[in-house]
């Protein structure tokens, strides 16, 4: 088993680190304080291919493996968690269109999304359909050559500032088999956006409710076949869990680097606190946790890339482990800063705030445990997870 990286993987990661160093990291604190969504910077990233990392290469996407893409997201999150996480969501939207849309839909939407001219939002969650996504109520009624959308989506990243929506809506009976997926123009008549939610973290991207009232969507904008929407959503969430997990790891890496530098500079009792064994042990654990999280995500990404039948289980395990460990690393980095870690002038409190939601979205970590435990209790399933 070879764990070494290819030259291409290293080059992509270095390119992302350089972009993060120049455009994201210097501005992250200000964007957080002012709740500024840096659309101009996000669009700049499109010139480097970061808005179409694993999107269909026939329509200007790079078509990278999920493993290579994860390395890019980690470096971007090292610069700014909130912005990198949004970029990962945009990538999921463009991937869904490229994977399941008709040639006409792909040609109409993807080149502009990959370049950054248009940004995307993913619309699955509803006020009464979070972890139980199959119970969503937003409806799409067929009327001639159109579907008419009515309903409400909530916790939608980028909403109100994006141009393209991928919307999951009910076209059939209750349950997962009655859900279909649509590409919707975000500026369509009948769409209304709620207030920008005041959140604990992720302040550099807007989060709004979207209401649909008699929104007409061309039938040709359906992704896949009618009733395939839930399976598309679940397939997207496998990659989304890798993305959210690796963004958490990138933030943990940033927190670890900040803490390591700080303990070498901060002196107490006549010497740098890095000389105290209790601090050294804490740093050792933090590094071990960061690397463990990263490697688990690399494994899950490789399972997706190889179409492994157990990929969804590995993605659930990796998402749960990486987000829990990364939050702990950032929290311990804050602790090592003492009172200074609690101040807005240092990045640690922002890292902790931003990372908390990673344990919730793309499926809560409790749901990740449900997925894993259900699978492992099946006959012979446990022996296949190695």
């Amino acid at each position: 088993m070879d764990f070494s990286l290819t030259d291409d993987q290293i080059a992509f990661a270095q390119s992302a680190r350089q972009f993060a160093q120049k455009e994201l990291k210097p501005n992250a604190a200000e964007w957080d304080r002012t709740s500024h969504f840096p659309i101009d910077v996000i669009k700049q990233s499109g010139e480097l291919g970061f808005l179409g990392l694993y999107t269909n290469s026939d329509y200007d996407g790079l078509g990278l493996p999920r493993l290579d893409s994860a390395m890019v997201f980690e470096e971007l999150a090292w610069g700014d968690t909130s912005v990198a996480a949004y970029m990962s969501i945009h990538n999921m939207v463009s991937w869904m269109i490229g994977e399941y849309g008709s040639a006409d839909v792909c040609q109409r939407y993807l080149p502009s999304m990959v370049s950054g001219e248009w940004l995307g939002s993913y619309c699955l969650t509803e006020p009464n359909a979070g972890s139980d996504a199959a119970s969503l109520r937003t409806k799409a009624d067929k009327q001639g050559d159109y579907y008419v959308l009515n309903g409400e989506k909530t916790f939608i990243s980028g909403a109100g500032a994006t141009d393209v929506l991928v919307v999951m809506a009910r076209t059939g009976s209750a349950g997962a088999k009655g859900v279909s997926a649509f590409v919707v123009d975000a500026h369509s008549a009948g769409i209304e956006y709620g207030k920008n939610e005041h959140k604990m973290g992720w302040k550099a991207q807007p989060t709004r409710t979207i209401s649909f009232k008699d929104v007409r969507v061309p039938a040709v904008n359906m992704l896949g076949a009618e009733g395939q929407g839930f399976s598309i959503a679940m397939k997207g969430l496998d990659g989304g869990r890798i993305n959210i997990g690796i963004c958490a790891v990138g933030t943990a890496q940033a927190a670890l680097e900040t803490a390591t530098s700080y303990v070498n500079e901060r002196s107490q009792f006549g010497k740098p606190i890095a000389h105290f064994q209790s601090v050294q042990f804490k740093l050792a654990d933090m590094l071990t946790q960061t690397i463990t999280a990263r490697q688990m995500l690399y494994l899950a990404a490789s399972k997706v890339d190889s179409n492994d039948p157990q990929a969804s289980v590995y993605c659930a395990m990796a998402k749960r482990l990486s987000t829990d460990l990364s939050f702990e690393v950032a929290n311990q980095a804050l602790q090592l800063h003492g009172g200074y870690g609690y101040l807005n002038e240092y990045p640690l409190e922002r890292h902790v705030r931003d990372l908390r939601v990673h344990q919730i979205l793309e499926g809560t970590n409790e749901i990740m445990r449900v997925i894993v435990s259900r699978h492992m209790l099946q006959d012979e399933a446990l022996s296949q997870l190695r």
Side-chain angles (χ1 to χ4, degrees):
M1 187 177 296
D2 185 4
F3 288 94
S4 59
L5 303 180
T6 67
D7 290 342
D8 285 345
Q9 289 171 330
I10 293 171
F12 276 121
Q14 288 177 339
S15 177
R17 174 63 74 107
Q18 290 168 2
F19 182 82
Q21 181 77 61
K22 180 181 178 183
E23 304 292 346
L24 301 183
K25 200 175 187 69
N27 299 304
E30 182 63 22
W31 293 340
D32 176 75
R33 292 189 191 102
T34 60
S35 297
H36 174 66
F37 188 40
I39 293 176
D40 54 338
V41 174
I42 293 171
K43 289 183 175 181
Q44 285 180 38
S45 75
E47 299 173 7
L48 298 172
F50 296 159
L51 297 181
L53 288 170
Y54 49 92
T55 301
N56 193 327
S57 58
D58 292 336
Y59 302 96
D60 299 338
L62 294 183
L64 294 179
R66 296 304 177 98
L67 177 56
D68 298 43
S69 302
M71 294 175 186
V72 171
F73 289 132
E74 178 181 347
E75 298 299 341
L76 295 174
W78 174 86
D80 188 309
T81 318
S82 178
V83 173
Y86 168 74
M87 291 169 65
S88 80
I89 294 167
H90 174 90
N91 271 270
M92 181 170 69
V93 172
S94 61
W95 170 80
M96 284 184 171
I97 295 173
E99 187 75 5
Y100 297 100
S102 66
D104 174 64
V105 167
C106 290
Q107 189 59 57
R108 279 191 286 127
Y109 287 96
L110 288 183
S112 295
M113 294 186 71
V114 170
S115 71
E117 180 183 354
W118 293 346
L119 300 180
S121 291
Y122 178 57
C123 306
L124 174 63
T125 303
E126 298 183 2
N128 294 304
S131 296
D132 182 15
S135 67
L136 62 83
R137 296 179 182 177
T138 296
K139 293 190 67 177
D141 296 315
K142 184 77 179 293
Q143 296 183 12
D145 293 333
Y146 290 84
Y147 281 86
V148 179
L149 277 176
N150 283 282
E152 186 175 72
K153 298 293 182 178
T154 192
F155 300 130
I156 307 304
S157 293
T162 53
D163 309 281
V164 181
L165 310 175
V166 166
V167 181
M168 301 297 165
R170 188 162 300 285
T171 54
S173 58
K177 294 182 179 180
V179 177
S180 299
F182 299 89
V183 183
V184 180
D185 183 341
H187 309 291
S188 299
I191 294 180
E192 293 186 0
Y193 296 95
K195 66 179 176 66
N196 186 8
E197 301 289 356
H198 298 289
K199 307 184 295 290
M200 176 181 176
W202 273 29
K203 293 187 176 184
Q205 57 165 285
T207 301
R208 291 184 170 91
T209 293
I210 305 180
S211 298
F212 302 91
K213 185 175 182 181
D214 296 331
V215 178
R216 289 166 61 84
V217 181
V220 294
N221 278 26
M222 178 179 285
L223 297 179
E226 188 167 293
Q228 194 181 353
F230 187 78
S231 64
I232 291 174
M234 294 303 102
K235 191 77 172 176
L237 284 175
D238 281 348
R241 285 163 184 162
I242 293 170
N243 294 347
I244 288 303
I246 204 67
C247 283
V249 171
T251 308
Q253 180 69 35
L256 178 57
E257 291 175 12
T258 300
T260 303
S261 176
Y262 180 80
V263 299
N264 276 307
E265 297 170 357
R266 173 69 167 171
S267 292
Q268 291 288 277
F269 306 104
K271 57 183 176 181
I273 62 174
H275 291 186
F276 295 107
Q277 192 177 68
S278 60
V279 171
Q280 295 171 355
F281 281 9
K282 184 166 291 189
L283 289 172
D285 286 345
M286 292 161 66
L287 176 59
T288 303
Q289 289 169 321
T290 302
I291 292 177
T292 298
R294 179 182 296 117
Q295 293 302 318
M296 185 68 195
L297 285 160
Y298 283 5
L299 175 60
S302 71
K303 295 291 184 182
V304 172
D305 288 333
S306 65
N307 294 312
D308 190 290
Q310 315 292 335
S312 292
V313 186
Y314 280 95
C315 290
M317 288 191 289
K319 189 269 180 181
R320 199 288 300 167
L321 182 73
S322 62
T323 56
D324 281 349
L325 291 182
S326 295
F327 179 81
E328 176 65 14
V329 168
N331 197 37
Q332 290 301 326
L334 188 156
Q335 185 73 18
L336 286 171
H337 280 69
Y340 291 108
Y342 202 66
L343 298 182
N344 185 262
E345 297 173 27
Y346 290 78
L348 286 310
E349 60 86 28
R350 170 165 48 87
H351 293 331
V352 170
R353 287 188 288 104
D354 282 343
L355 283 181
R356 186 60 185 86
V357 75
H358 289 238
Q359 296 168 297
I360 297 172
L361 48 75
E362 303 291 0
T364 67
N365 284 2
E366 288 74 20
I367 291 297
M368 298 304 98
R369 292 179 172 92
V370 170
I371 293 170
V372 174
S373 60
R374 281 181 177 174
H375 185 84
M376 68 183 292
L377 292 172
Q378 297 174 9
D379 290 343
E380 299 184 1
L382 186 58
S383 63
Q384 299 171 10
L385 294 169
R386 292 177 180 271

